[in-house]
Amino acid sequence: MSVDKNTVAKIARLARIRVDEKQQEELTGELNQILGWIEQLSELDTDGVEPMTSVVEMTQPLREDVINDGYYVDRVTKNAPESAHGFYAVPKVVE
Amino acid sequence: MSYRIKGNTGEWEVVIGLEVHAQVISKSKLFSGAATAFGADPNHHVSLVDAAMPGMLPVLNKEVVEQGVRTGLGLRAQINMKSVFERKNYFYADLPQGYQISQFLEPIVGEGTITLDLEGGDVREVGVERMHLEQDAGKSVHDQHPTQSYIDLNRSGVALMEIVSKPDLRSPEEAGAYLRKLRSILRYLGTCDGNMDEGSMRADVNVSVRKPGDELGTRTETKNVNSIRYVQQAIEHEAKRQVKILEEGGEIVQETRLFDASNGTTRSMRSKEEAHDYRYFPDPDLLPLVLDPAWVEDIKATIPELPDEKKERFINDFGLSAYDAGILVADREKAMFYEEVAEGRDPKLAANWVMGDFFGALNKSGLSLDASPVSAKQLGGLIGLIKDNTISGRIAKEVFEVMWETSKDADTIVEEKGLKQITDTGPIEAAIDEIMAANPNQVEAFRGGNEKLIGWFVGQTMKATGGKANPGMVNQLLKKKLAG
């Protein structure tokens, strides 16, 4: 598996990261190298081995359904570049 | 009758699949301890987890998992003992994380079935493909400022169930029946309030068209439609639009569309074109969810009698028609009300009264069931009086009106107003004698063969007794006396 420059540009766009032409070239090379390393793993025989979904041998801890957070609108919007009437105020996004 | 779109090249079949987003009933959010209640001031029901502040970690809500399992069981679906939360990546102003935590490859619930109750008591099974748990996004308000949108994250992180049907639906009516039945099941289970006005249930509508018997056509997805009527309108509009394009030699583009409720049409949502590349991957903040079989068994024990089973029971035990039973069980509260009315009474008579005069009065006065001035017990009392011949069905309607006005018991009203049915032959015979004596011509005509006049005599007798005479006895006595 490998990626070309167009794919790199698309991934960057989806992730909202600005990557200029020159960087796209460089990243294509780097990403393909990484993909190459990962591909080496497929040489291993993993038949009968459970997929490892986590490095810790435990399952999802659960919390009880109680309300014990929230009600601090000031803290929530404190870092917002702009807020108004308790809302975040952002540049207009309309469909 | 199959639903078909008539085109210039013949008839087209419509293929519909629905993805329903149902808000899970829980006190706190899917991954945080902030409240879920509707209608709070902006950003009050928001924790730092919901606002996606750096370093915050999600912790799964046990009750939501339980509600998800309960819903799966209610949909007669496979419960997956292991499921995985993944990140669905996209950018939008009301999605602070930049991804929605959802389930993708391994949802908590697999294939199930919903039975549709169609016109005239017909039923049809529709497949459920899967159901998974996910976070809701925040809400954008666009009309409060000329150049800004306001973002409220109260809904951000609230637990949703996404219930995906198979493409088994074939008409707007079936889609409506599917949504009504699903809503009914969720309400019975107590896992979603099904309130579409408040957005606790909304549907993405997948529509494609094809010539009957052909392969599936290319589909479009109309997002976030929030009433059953709108879903039906969206299907109709979308199907016609697609048929027109195909018949003009065009191709359907697989795309996301928006429903415009003001004119019942759909339009392309271009901004979403690229967003379909969601780059799902397992959320590294969350471990796989593994269910303990004993827990699932415990949840199973809490499942109430669901509409299909209740309907079956009403038909078998109470002798109701499939149609009547279907109406009575659609709403859990109404079904419970009916059962209380019918307790120890004639179940068919009870069904007629509940669905007829009672629901009629409720609708007319715009009251909800729990605000009804007449309780189930009281209505049962009235039915008891009809059944034991204390009052006739006609008088019962009068009594019911007074009950509705005064909230008094039926027997009190009958007593106070002296409405007790006359079942003594004496007074009825006396009334008949008087009428016959005063109307010799009619008696003559009847005896001369005009037997239809019996109706007139019945009317006169009822009038003379203030409607209180037992109609059966009036008939019987009239026939005897008129025969001479």
Side-chain angles (χ1 to χ4, degrees):
Chain A
M1 188 187 162
S2 66
V3 294
D4 59 15
K5 212 178 109 185
N6 286 338
T7 312
V8 171
K10 187 185 172 202
I11 296 167
R13 193 164 59 245
L14 286 171
R16 299 296 193 278
I17 299 172
R18 197 189 312 269
V19 178
D20 64 29
E21 286 275 328
K22 189 168 155 288
Q23 281 177 306
Q24 285 174 20
E25 296 281 0
E26 290 167 13
L27 277 172
T28 307
E30 279 181 38
L31 285 172
N32 279 330
Q33 221 169 348
I34 294 167
L35 287 170
W37 291 331
I38 291 169
E39 221 132 84
Q40 288 180 21
L41 292 175
S42 60
E43 289 168 18
L44 292 172
D45 178 9
T46 54
D47 279 356
V49 180
E50 281 257 326
M52 187 178 78
T53 44
S54 165
V55 289
V56 284
E57 274 300 314
M58 57 186 284
T59 56
Q60 184 62 49
L62 301 172
R63 42 168 260 277
E64 292 302 319
D65 182 28
V66 287
I67 300 166
N68 53 16
D69 209 346
Y71 302 106
Y72 41 66
V73 58
D74 292 343
R75 282 175 74 196
V76 165
T77 54
K78 193 173 175 185
N79 295 308
E82 246 187 281
S83 62
H85 319 291
F87 292 100
Y88 292 91
V90 303
K92 196 148 229 161
V93 271
V94 175
E95 283 300 334
Chain B
M1 266 301 287
S2 332
Y3 175 82
R4 293 281 191 268
I5 301 283
K6 284 191 185 60
N8 297 323
T9 61
E11 296 195 323
W12 296 78
E13 183 182 42
V14 185
V15 177
I16 305 150
L18 294 174
E19 296 168 20
V20 173
H21 297 263
Q23 184 178 325
V24 177
I25 294 178
S26 66
K27 294 191 200 76
S28 64
K29 294 185 179 181
L30 179 54
F31 295 116
S32 87
T36 58
F38 180 78
D41 286 341
N43 290 315
H44 274 65
H45 289 172
V46 179
S47 77
L48 299 180
V49 177
D50 310 316
M53 291 295 169
M56 295 295 113
L57 288 172
V59 188
L60 187 55
N61 184 335
K62 185 178 173 193
E63 171 67 12
V64 171
V65 174
E66 199 165 314
Q67 293 284 54
V69 171
R70 198 171 280 132
T71 302
L73 292 170
L75 298 174
R76 287 173 273 159
Q78 183 198 325
I79 305 299
N80 293 328
M81 301 312 277
K82 181 186 159 218
S83 62
V84 175
F85 286 98
E86 304 204 34
R87 292 184 180 180
K88 178 183 183 177
N89 298 278
Y90 66 94
F91 279 95
Y92 204 73
D94 55 23
L95 187 77
Q97 287 166 157
Y99 57 85
Q100 175 194 34
I101 304 178
S102 181
Q103 296 185 306
F104 185 55
L105 292 177
E106 300 184 61
I108 188 166
V109 173
E111 294 190 346
T113 318
I114 290 182
T115 305
L116 306 190
D117 299 293
L118 300 168
E119 200 90 352
D122 287 349
V123 292
R124 189 159 108 66
E125 304 250 297
V126 169
V128 169
E129 178 70 37
R130 58 181 280 158
M131 189 213 86
H132 65 254
L133 295 171
E134 64 183 25
Q135 297 175 302
D136 202 350
K139 188 177 78 174
S140 305
V141 184
H142 302 299
D143 57 2
Q144 297 295 309
H145 191 280
T147 60
Q148 292 186 322
S149 291
Y150 286 166
I151 309 295
D152 174 9
L153 298 182
N154 280 345
R155 242 172 45 192
S156 168
V158 167
L160 300 178
M161 300 179 275
E162 179 171 327
I163 300 150
V164 183
S165 84
K166 296 195 179 237
D168 284 355
L169 301 161
R170 292 289 178 272
S171 70
E173 286 67 35
E174 286 188 0
Y178 175 86
L179 288 170
R180 275 192 296 273
K181 188 56 171 282
L182 176 58
R183 184 171 60 182
S184 166
I185 292 170
L186 297 178
R187 283 177 171 164
Y188 267 72
L189 292 167
T191 58
C192 170
D193 67 24
N195 194 335
M196 296 185 90
D197 296 340
E198 292 179 0
S200 25
M201 209 175 124
R202 40 192 203 268
D204 297 344
V205 187
N206 290 289
V207 175
S208 65
V209 297
R210 65 175 173 190
K211 286 285 172 66
D214 277 7
E215 296 284 300
L216 287 176
T218 305
R219 69 188 165 85
T220 63
E221 179 180 11
T222 304
K223 282 273 184 199
N224 263 336
V225 189
N226 65 356
S227 88
I228 291 175
R229 196 165 56 90
Y230 290 164
V231 166
Q232 294 179 324
Q233 281 178 4
I235 292 167
E236 208 159 315
H237 176 268
E238 192 50 25
K240 284 181 180 153
R241 189 188 69 88
Q242 291 184 11
V243 165
K244 186 158 180 281
I245 291 173
L246 291 171
E247 291 198 330
E248 285 168 355
E251 266 185 47
I252 304 302
V253 188
Q254 180 163 354
E255 62 174 355
T256 307
R257 299 179 67 85
L258 263 185
F259 178 71
D260 184 344
S262 66
N263 57 15
T265 63
T266 67
R267 63 185 151 89
S268 183
M269 209 172 155
R270 290 180 206 291
S271 62
K272 286 268 181 182
E273 266 168 29
E274 209 174 44
H276 270 303
D277 195 343
Y278 289 127
R279 295 150 294 144
Y280 282 97
F281 65 92
D283 192 319
D285 289 341
L286 292 158
L287 291 159
L289 170 62
V290 177
L291 302 174
D292 179 355
W295 187 27
V296 175
E297 282 309 311
D298 287 349
I299 299 169
K300 205 177 260 175
T302 69
I303 303 284
E305 183 184 43
L306 293 174
D308 289 329
E309 301 150 24
K310 207 182 262 300
K311 182 178 166 188
E312 215 38 48
R313 185 163 59 81
F314 283 6
I315 293 171
N316 293 335
D317 294 3
F318 293 163
L320 302 188
S321 70
Y323 178 79
D324 286 357
I327 287 180
L328 285 169
V329 304
D331 184 299
R332 189 183 185 186
E333 277 67 44
K334 285 180 178 165
M336 280 163 61
F337 183 90
Y338 164 69
E339 287 201 75
E340 208 184 325
V341 174
E343 170 116 55
R345 315 284 181 196
D346 180 326
K348 275 181 157 170
L349 191 59
N352 289 341
W353 269 88
V354 169
M355 289 192 297
D357 294 73
F358 182 79
F359 283 172
L362 212 54
N363 272 338
K364 214 170 122 192
S365 55
L367 291 174
S368 67
L369 188 59
D370 50 11
S372 160
V374 176
S375 72
K377 229 184 163 67
Q378 287 177 312
L379 187 55
L382 177 67
I383 287 157
L385 294 182
I386 303 168
K387 198 61 191 170
D388 70 11
N389 277 327
T390 307
I391 54 173
S392 67
R394 222 196 76 189
I395 291 288
K397 285 180 191 288
E398 276 180 54
V399 174
F400 178 72
E401 276 175 33
V402 180
M403 288 170 78
W404 196 263
E405 296 298 319
T406 62
S407 294
K408 284 184 185 169
D409 285 348
D411 48 8
T412 312
I413 293 164
V414 169
E415 196 67 36
E416 280 175 5
K417 295 196 176 283
L419 293 172
K420 205 166 165 351
Q421 183 162 247
I422 303 167
T423 48
D424 283 350
T425 47
I428 300 175
E429 277 184 295
I432 291 173
D433 289 342
E434 220 167 284
I435 291 159
M436 284 174 69
N439 302 281
N441 293 343
Q442 269 79 357
V443 177
E444 191 99 344
F446 180 87
R447 289 184 175 153
N450 188 356
E451 291 189 2
K452 276 189 208 148
L453 270 173
I454 186 85
W456 182 83
F457 279 106
V458 171
Q460 292 299 308
T461 314
M462 293 308 282
K463 201 171 146 194
T465 55
K468 290 183 286 182
N470 178 310
M473 291 179 65
V474 170
N475 261 315
Q476 209 183 352
L477 289 169
L478 266 173
K479 275 183 188 152
K480 201 174 87 193
K481 285 189 179 284
L482 284 169

